[in-house]
Every structure is written in C-alpha cells, then in structure tokens.
Amino acid sequence: MGPGAREAVFAQLADAGRAEQVAQRLTDGIVLGVLGAGERLPSEPELARRFGVALITVREGLGILREAGLVETRRGREGGSFVVADDADHRSLISARLRGLAQVELSDMAVYFGAILAGIAERAAERASAGDAERLAGWLAAADFGTAASARTNQGGFFLEVAVLSQSARLVREQIRLQAEFGPLLLLGLDDDEQRADAAAHDRRIVRAVAAHRPAEAREAAGDLVRGLSVPLLAAKARVERGGALDEPVSA
Amino acid sequence: MSRSARDVAASVGAVFTGVFDQLAAWRAPVEHLIDGAPEVRPAALDTLVAELVLPRLTEPQPLLVGAGFIADGEIVRGRDVHFAWWLGPLDANPVLGSTTEPTRLDLTTRGYTEYLRDFRALEWYRIPATTSDAHVTGPYVDHLCTCDYILTMTMPVHAVHPAGGGAPGGTRMVGVIGADVSVRRLESELLAGFLDVTAPLALVNEEGRVVLSTEPALQVGQLADLDGAGEPCPGTPLRVLVDPAPSGSIRIIR
C-alpha cells in the first residue's frame, strides 16, 4: 500500500496563518482517522521541515492541538506528541470544520478534486502497461475497506496509485496537495458501510478501465466516484447547519 | 548530423555504466563491513553509507538525486528492513519540503512501514534478487521521496557468512545498493546527442516506456511500439528506437 493519504497530511503549507494551518492539517488527519489514536507524530523539527515552516510555528500549531485535546505531549526518551483517542470530541470538531466552510466551497473543492482525478484516470488508462494494471488490481484487491479508518487510508492510497500510473510528476504532486487540503473531508462519507462499498466498486471500475485502456470509461468512473463522495459530505454540511448531529444517517 | 543511433545508444550505456561502476565501488566496503560480523549495528552501517554517498549527492549539478543501501532485516540488529538512504537537496518538494542539504529518508511514519512491508516484491529489490544482477527500474513517478519522474538503479549486495540459511561458504543476498537519477537530469546529459541524429529517436525501457524522445508525437511516459528492434544501450535494459511510434498494441478506445 502506498503511503499517500498519510504523507499528504504533512505536505507543504501555503503562506497565511501558518500555525493555524499546521493545526488544521493535523486536526483533519486525526479526526478523520488518517492518523491513528496513540500514534506518535513526527518530531517538531521534522514537522517544521516537512511543512516548510519555522519550529516556533510548529510548536504553536501543536499548542492548538493540545488545547483541543487532540494530542498530548510526553517528555523523555520515548517522548513526543501522541494522538489522543476521543471519538465524541472528534465528531464535534468535524462539525465545526463543516460549519467553517461554505457549501459552495465544499462543492467547489469536490469539483476540482474530481477534475484532477478524472484527468489522472484518463491518462493512467492511456499509459499503464499490462503489468501496471495488474499491480494496481492486486493492490486494490488487497486493500481493506471494512472500517472507516482503513477505507480512508486505502481510498487515499488508491488515488495516489492511479496518479502514479499517469506517469506525470505534476499530477502526482497535485494529487498529494489536494489530499492534504481536502482529502479527509472528501472521505468523510466513508463512515457509512454502503458508501465504502460504493467507493470500492468505483475504484474497481477505474481499475478495469485502466487495464482495458479505455480512457473515457476511466474518466467517467473517476467522476462518478468523486460525485458519490461529495453527496454525503454536502448532506453532512446540511445536517450540521440544521443543528443536527453529524452521525444521523444520510437521507436519500 | 554525424552521429548514428548506435552512437547515441553507446552514450546512454556510458552514463548508466558510470552509475553502475559507482554502485559497485560503494558495494565493496559495505560487503566488507557486513562480512566482519554476523550482525551489523545500524549506526555503523549508516555512517559508512553516508560517507560513501553524500559526496555524489552534493557535487555541483549532481547526476544522482538519491542513493544508499537497503538491507533486508537479517543482517541489521533489531530491524526488519533497514534503509540507509539519502536524498540530495530538493526543490519545492510537496512531501519533504525544500532542502539545501541532503536529507536522510525517514521511514518512521506508518505509511512507509506499510508500503515497505512488501519491499521484497518491489521491482528495484525483486529483480536484483532474482537475477543477482544490477537493474534499472523506471521511468516512474517516485511518490515516496522525490515526487519526480526518475529511474532507480539497484545492485544486489551479498554476504559470505552462512547465517540465515545460505550454504556454508556460499553467499546470499542481504540487500541492494542503489541510486536514483531524475529523467530531467538524464535528458540534460543525453538530449543534444539524440538531436544530432537526423531520424527521430526514442530511448525506451524494456516495456517500451519512453524516457527521452525526439519524436514529438511520442512523449516521455508514453509506451512506444517495440516492433522495431532498435539499438540496445550496452549494459542496460534500455534501447534507442529509430522512427518510433506510440504502441499499436494498446488501442486507445475513446
């Protein structure tokens, strides 16, 4: 399995409000399960280097996470910042995150993510060799979509595996950047069994189209996949705005 | 217009031979260290590999973007797989940031661990393990380190001591020594030579994946038709195709 979804959490940041961005990136990774409970985050200097920010900015960002109860910092040889497990808290943080983004922003993110993924899938179908397609199929067959956390990690990994087959370094970089910015939110709907099964089925359609060198079908399947993921996201936004709970089932 | 496809193939071979000679020169002291003890301390291995590879990663216009030694767990104390791998200075890397100094590849995050759980099945390890010979993997987009379009050259490293099931007195593979070269950097070495030939040419790997092309209708990353034999590049699995065309075996259905 590729480390895409996870590595994306630590990808470079844009300029404004960097400590908040550090906190937001890590918060998204934690509340949506890409970073697991009990996991040790990279060291402060390592985070500074990877986010491309000063050490003090990282410390400030981690301070925000500590305040929010998402990480705890332990001292000593086996010390560091560790992800704290607390599902109830995480749900309220996701709700807050959804409230902070306008519906139009969420749906535009999904449009852009979908456009990039469709281009990636199309190129992968043109360029993958028989061996590449076989490896991708093997990768997906071994990927677990049984739990929300495993499905998120593997869905993120799948996006990256397909991007690699496009043979385009730019598309791979953009995929990593978009996953960092938007991946955990886009994959919010994978809490639901049926959504996980749907996403995996669309993934298999993409693999079949890539193996058969059918770029138009690969593009269509990628579009359907991202549209499918955007529906529960926007439904969750609507529920949160109505003052309801995040966990209520998606109404048809 | 004085050069032939064969000359160009020879110049490609020379670039890769240079890298393989470098890998062989690094391999000797690594094998010497490993043969000195049944188990090597990770720190001793890291120090040695850093001393060997860092000069090539920090020279002006380095050919290599990354290099090092990847040991399977048996020989390194307390490890399942041990990466002594360094990356040269990176520009605006989306995963690792921009760096002006070489960086050690950090494998402590879970994502890498899961990816590398099956590292023995990955091409850059598997082929040298099967053939006991050097191998060129790629071109491919390396999403682990450089986020760039690269070729990876690997060479098997052997140990003579019999621990771990090897025949007494025989040798067994304990890892690979390797280096990454970016396609962009390779192009800067080779493009002028390719353009010296009147006919369009493409440098391709074994499956026909294009590394460099002077045929605008056949671009880097595409698969070329391998029907024409082309000129093999000595000492590599690559070849130079004359009048190349996109793969006909892959019919694009729109």
Side-chain angles (χ1 to χ4, degrees):
Chain A
M1 175 169 71
R6 299 179 42 75
E7 295 318 299
V9 171
F10 305 109
Q12 292 265 292
L13 296 171
D15 280 338
R18 289 187 154 204
E20 288 73 18
Q21 284 190 65
V22 167
Q24 188 63 71
R25 191 70 76 66
L26 294 172
T27 301
D28 282 353
I30 292 167
V31 300
L32 294 164
V34 181
L35 302 171
E39 189 170 336
R40 176 161 61 179
L41 298 179
S43 69
E44 290 176 358
E46 177 65 16
L47 286 172
R49 198 174 60 72
R50 289 175 63 175
F51 286 133
V53 300
L55 193 55
I56 188 149
T57 310
V58 164
R59 291 194 175 135
E60 212 181 310
L62 288 172
I64 297 171
L65 293 188
R66 260 194 308 278
E67 291 274 296
L70 288 171
V71 301
E72 59 182 21
T73 302
R74 296 176 211 155
R75 307 216 168 269
R77 198 176 135 69
E78 297 295 309
S81 292
F82 294 81
V83 175
V84 172
D86 189 343
D87 273 356
D89 234 28
H90 293 176
R91 309 308 294 177
S92 66
L93 283 162
I94 297 168
S95 300
R97 175 87 159 117
L98 285 174
R99 256 183 239 113
L101 287 163
Q103 192 180 64
V104 64
E105 288 175 296
L106 290 170
S107 82
D108 197 36
M109 280 176 173
V111 166
Y112 186 61
F113 194 99
I116 295 292
L117 189 70
I120 281 171
E122 180 180 59
R123 272 299 144 115
E126 286 172 6
R127 292 185 162 189
S129 66
D132 291 333
E134 209 173 294
R135 277 186 294 277
L136 181 67
W139 186 96
L140 185 61
D144 173 22
F145 282 74
T147 66
S150 69
R152 285 197 187 101
T153 303
N154 286 323
Q155 187 59 52
F158 180 74
F159 289 144
L160 194 59
E161 294 292 331
V162 180
V164 165
L165 297 190
S166 76
Q167 310 291 322
S168 163
R170 271 184 197 270
L171 285 175
V172 170
R173 287 172 175 233
E174 187 61 1
Q175 174 58 230
I176 289 173
R177 198 189 66 74
L178 283 178
Q179 279 203 39
E181 187 186 332
F182 186 48
L185 271 180
L186 184 68
L187 302 178
L188 180 66
L190 298 184
D191 277 343
D192 179 72
D193 286 345
E194 210 170 303
Q195 293 291 339
R196 291 201 288 276
D198 277 358
H202 286 310
D203 292 347
R204 287 191 294 273
R205 264 177 75 200
I206 293 173
V207 170
R208 282 195 299 273
V210 166
H213 299 293
R214 295 177 186 272
E217 286 177 18
R219 164 177 281 281
E220 190 184 318
D224 289 348
L225 168 62
V226 176
R227 258 188 304 280
L229 291 168
S230 71
V231 169
L233 172 63
L234 289 161
K237 165 74 176 163
R239 275 198 306 281
V240 165
E241 293 298 332
R242 284 196 192 104
L246 196 58
D247 294 300
E248 282 168 26
V250 181
S251 54
Chain B
M1 300 299 163
S2 54
R3 303 184 85 198
S4 68
R6 177 161 299 175
D7 295 335
V8 168
S11 69
V12 174
V15 171
F16 282 84
T17 302
V19 177
F20 283 128
D21 287 349
Q22 176 68 83
L23 295 184
W26 288 339
R27 175 167 69 173
V30 170
E31 287 184 338
H32 182 77
L33 177 72
I34 292 167
D35 286 337
E39 256 192 348
V40 182
R41 282 185 306 114
L45 195 57
D46 293 347
T47 306
L48 173 66
V49 175
E51 276 171 14
L52 294 171
V53 306
L54 289 182
R56 288 300 307 270
L57 298 179
T58 52
E59 67 193 9
Q61 279 103 48
L63 179 63
L64 310 181
V65 292
F69 172 54
I70 296 149
D72 88 13
E74 289 170 40
I75 51 149
V76 183
R77 188 175 297 165
R79 301 295 164 96
D80 178 37
V81 52
H82 183 75
F83 264 65
W85 192 271
W86 277 263
L87 300 164
L90 299 165
D91 280 347
N93 182 287
V95 177
L96 298 168
S98 300
T99 55
T100 51
E101 298 295 319
T103 31
R104 173 86 189 267
L105 180 59
D106 173 21
L107 295 170
T108 55
T109 69
R110 193 179 66 192
Y112 285 109
T113 315
E114 288 175 10
Y115 172 76
L116 291 169
R117 193 178 45 213
D118 296 327
F119 76 98
R120 290 177 185 83
L122 298 173
E123 182 179 339
W124 47 260
Y125 193 93
R126 178 172 44 89
I127 306 284
T130 313
T131 63
S132 287
D133 213 344
H135 183 67
V136 180
T137 301
Y140 67 104
V141 183
D142 162 38
H143 64 288
L144 280 184
C145 315
T146 60
C147 264
D148 213 341
Y149 207 46
I150 66 165
L151 294 147
T152 297
M153 273 130 280
T154 43
M155 185 178 273
V157 172
H158 294 95
V160 291
H161 58 80
T171 64
R172 66 201 169 82
M173 180 165 146
V174 294
V176 292
I177 200 141
D180 292 336
V181 176
S182 77
V183 169
R184 191 168 29 139
R185 181 65 181 83
L186 195 63
E187 179 184 309
S188 74
E189 290 287 312
L190 296 172
L191 183 62
F194 275 64
L195 290 170
D196 262 351
V197 179
T198 315
L201 302 177
L203 176 64
V204 300
N205 73 4
E206 277 168 312
E207 60 180 0
R209 181 84 63 205
V210 176
V211 182
L212 177 68
S213 167
T214 54
E215 167 52 62
L218 177 68
Q219 293 166 15
V220 177
Q222 276 186 283
L223 292 171
D225 193 337
L226 283 176
D227 277 357
E231 288 289 343
C233 303
T236 78
L238 306 177
R239 49 187 144 158
V240 174
L241 304 179
V242 182
D243 290 319
S247 172
S249 64
I250 293 177
R251 220 162 288 291
I252 303 293
I253 299 149
R254 294 219 168 248

